[in-house]
Amino acid sequence: MKVVIFMYPGVTMLDAIGPYEVLRNLQNSEICFVAEKKGLVKADSSFIEMNIQYDITEINHADILLIPGSLIEYLNIAKNKKILDWINKVSITSIKTVSVCTGSIILAAAGILQNKKATCHWSCIDLLSEFSAIPTRERIIQDGKIITAAGVSAGIDMAIHLVNQLEGRQSAEAIQLAIEYDPSPLFNSGNFSTAKPEVINLSKQKMELALAQSDLSD
Amino acid sequence: MKVVIFMYPGVTMLDAIGPYEVLRNLQNSEICFVAEKKGLVKADSSFIEMNIQYDITEINHADILLIPGSLIEYLNIAKNKKILDWINKVSITSIKTVSVCTGSIILAAAGILQNKKATCHWSCIDLLSEFSAIPTRERIIQDGKIITAAGVSAGIDMAIHLVNQLEGRQSAEAIQLAIEYDPSPLFNSGNFSTAKPEVINLSKQKMELALAQSDLSD
């Protein structure tokens, strides 16, 4: 089971690492992190660099293709024809093509979500309609073989769904136990539809600040 | 707010990246990933390499010191006097010293959990007593300024607790919303005390297989 995770400068790490930590436990799993250019790729916080071993010319097939999101860089990826063409090509033969957070904007820009329901981070989900996708505020949306997950941490839930579909309930339960995923969030503030207005405003401020502090230069 | 995350070959990525994605949103946060030797550090799956920018001789202070866990390498770290001495030194002046998963075994080996209640991944929590800590099967345990979290994904819950203590409820809620942490686990199998015996057995098999496949050589 070849899981291909597309990384790019400015990626949000948990979008990628949450599903990775689940999917690495699939039977015979091989996880390939791939980027437009291999080598060091900096995350959106500037505090992390991952060493990516494959560039997109080296990966032509994925059983599972995963596109993580980012704070703002997704908009640049969504204009990068070379990357969008690669995503399209690999997605044609994938078993599942999945995204986390604003990764769905990238899938949509690649034309993969046309007239499909999709979710995204709550702060920019409406943007999906500009790429002919149907924004749907759910934690996980499946439309055919495409699964999109909401913001950042939703990738963990999505990946467990994916294991359940591919290997069945017992495997999914065992992996959920291996990562001790018995969440106990301190507050009930993780959902846009129930969060208080002042919490939504502060959350937006924190994301804007993170964006302002992000430095992707070498 | 200087958050120091200790990385080592064989580390479990989500143990580190879950809390990182929360704590990076603290006001004026600086996240320093540090290892015994800087440069590329491979995670336990062998599929990920992070480029670590600091070695332990360069970091003498942390406001928050975080020790993530691993599949088996925690036992080697728990015997590495140089690293244990460094953890002890930095922990003396920290505001909080925290661990995720088997990171608590490392804290215990450093002598930081003597006669303190602590948690750990369900599969090896009893080992804490060999280092004079008091194994306590909870998702998060706080004893003084030390907070230990259970396996892998528990670090996200722990980090939100930490933000709540340091900056208050509104900040914690806003960060929870920023990472859209409104978990919706597919099954109720993430807790050892409620998981079915066959799920526990399969989970152990998967972890043993992951360990057998882990290759930390260059």
Side-chain angles (χ1 to χ4, degrees):
Chain A
M1 185 61 62
K2 186 167 179 171
V3 179
V4 172
I5 303 180
F6 176 67
M7 301 294 275
Y8 50 98
V11 69
T12 299
M13 283 299 284
L14 187 53
D15 291 18
I17 299 302
Y20 145 85
E21 202 70 76
V22 172
L23 300 175
R24 61 176 281 204
N25 287 298
L26 283 167
Q27 280 171 43
N28 301 316
S29 72
E30 179 194 3
I31 315 273
C32 299
F33 288 91
V34 57
E36 187 175 15
K37 294 176 191 165
K38 60 180 132 183
L40 296 182
V41 168
K42 213 183 257 190
D44 55 359
S45 68
S46 320
F47 294 129
I48 292 186
E49 280 180 330
M50 248 181 84
N51 187 34
I52 305 296
Q53 305 207 337
Y54 301 97
D55 71 46
I56 55 176
T57 67
E58 296 172 294
I59 302 282
N60 296 302
H61 172 71
D63 293 313
I64 299 169
L65 173 63
L66 188 152
I67 314 292
S70 58
L71 280 168
I72 189 92
E73 286 300 305
Y74 66 90
L75 290 173
N76 288 328
I77 304 295
K79 291 176 199 155
N80 184 321
K81 189 171 180 306
K82 187 173 157 195
I83 292 172
L84 298 181
D85 285 349
W86 175 80
I87 289 173
N88 253 306
K89 182 182 70 180
V90 175
S91 185
I92 286 170
T93 58
S94 71
I95 297 171
K96 305 275 181 190
T97 295
V98 304
S99 67
V100 180
C101 202
T102 54
S104 63
I105 307 282
I106 297 172
L107 286 186
I112 288 174
L113 294 178
Q114 285 203 1
N115 303 315
K116 288 185 189 291
K117 286 185 180 179
T119 190
C120 186
H121 192 278
W122 55 267
S123 64
C124 49
I125 187 169
D126 294 337
L127 197 56
L128 282 168
S129 58
E130 295 188 18
F131 299 96
S132 307
I134 305 162
T136 311
R137 287 192 189 266
E138 298 283 348
R139 191 151 179 87
I140 299 162
I141 294 278
Q142 179 149 14
D143 196 326
K145 76 174 187 182
I146 316 293
I147 311 177
T148 54
V152 195
S153 63
I156 299 172
D157 293 316
M158 182 272 289
I160 291 171
H161 272 267
L162 196 47
V163 174
N164 184 46
Q165 291 183 5
L166 294 169
E167 295 191 343
R169 176 169 182 159
Q170 190 151 311
S171 180
E173 289 198 5
I175 294 173
Q176 197 181 321
L177 182 59
I179 65 162
E180 214 158 339
Y181 188 52
D182 177 37
S184 169
L186 188 57
F187 300 115
N188 182 25
S189 67
N191 189 310
F192 176 76
S193 66
T194 54
K196 291 175 289 232
E198 61 269 29
V199 168
I200 294 172
N201 285 338
L202 182 58
S203 194
K204 285 179 179 169
Q205 283 171 33
K206 282 183 178 291
M207 288 186 286
E208 279 163 22
L209 188 64
L211 185 58
Q213 289 173 340
S214 177
D215 174 9
L216 301 180
S217 60
D218 290 334
Chain B
M1 185 61 63
K2 186 168 180 170
V3 179
V4 172
I5 302 180
F6 175 67
M7 301 294 275
Y8 49 97
V11 69
T12 299
M13 283 299 284
L14 187 54
D15 291 20
I17 298 302
Y20 145 84
E21 203 70 75
V22 172
L23 300 175
R24 61 176 281 203
N25 287 298
L26 284 166
Q27 279 172 43
N28 301 314
S29 72
E30 179 194 4
I31 314 275
C32 298
F33 288 92
V34 56
E36 187 175 15
K37 293 175 191 165
K38 59 180 134 183
L40 295 181
V41 169
K42 211 182 261 191
D44 56 0
S45 68
S46 320
F47 294 129
I48 293 186
E49 281 180 330
M50 249 182 83
N51 187 34
I52 304 297
Q53 305 208 336
Y54 301 95
D55 71 44
I56 56 175
T57 67
E58 295 172 293
I59 302 282
N60 297 302
H61 171 72
D63 293 313
I64 298 170
L65 173 63
L66 188 152
I67 313 292
S70 57
L71 280 168
I72 189 92
E73 287 301 305
Y74 65 90
L75 290 174
N76 288 328
I77 303 295
K79 292 175 197 155
N80 184 321
K81 189 172 180 306
K82 188 173 157 195
I83 292 172
L84 298 181
D85 285 350
W86 175 81
I87 289 172
N88 253 307
K89 181 182 70 181
V90 175
S91 185
I92 286 170
T93 58
S94 71
I95 297 171
K96 305 276 181 189
T97 295
V98 304
S99 66
V100 180
C101 201
T102 54
S104 62
I105 307 282
I106 298 172
L107 285 186
I112 289 173
L113 294 178
Q114 286 202 3
N115 302 315
K116 288 186 189 291
K117 286 186 180 179
T119 190
C120 185
H121 193 277
W122 55 267
S123 63
C124 49
I125 187 169
D126 294 338
L127 197 56
L128 282 168
S129 57
E130 295 188 19
F131 298 97
S132 307
I134 305 162
T136 311
R137 286 192 189 266
E138 298 283 350
R139 192 152 179 87
I140 300 163
I141 293 280
Q142 179 149 13
D143 196 326
K145 75 173 187 181
I146 316 293
I147 311 176
T148 55
V152 195
S153 63
I156 299 173
D157 293 316
M158 181 272 290
I160 292 172
H161 272 268
L162 197 47
V163 173
N164 184 47
Q165 290 182 6
L166 294 170
E167 294 190 346
R169 176 170 183 158
Q170 190 152 311
S171 180
E173 288 198 6
I175 294 173
Q176 197 181 321
L177 182 59
I179 65 162
E180 214 159 339
Y181 189 51
D182 178 35
S184 169
L186 187 56
F187 300 114
N188 182 25
S189 67
N191 190 308
F192 176 76
S193 66
T194 54
K196 291 175 290 235
E198 60 270 27
V199 169
I200 293 173
N201 285 338
L202 182 58
S203 194
K204 285 180 179 169
Q205 282 171 33
K206 283 183 179 290
M207 288 186 287
E208 278 163 23
L209 189 64
L211 185 58
Q213 290 172 340
S214 176
D215 174 8
L216 300 180
S217 61
D218 290 334

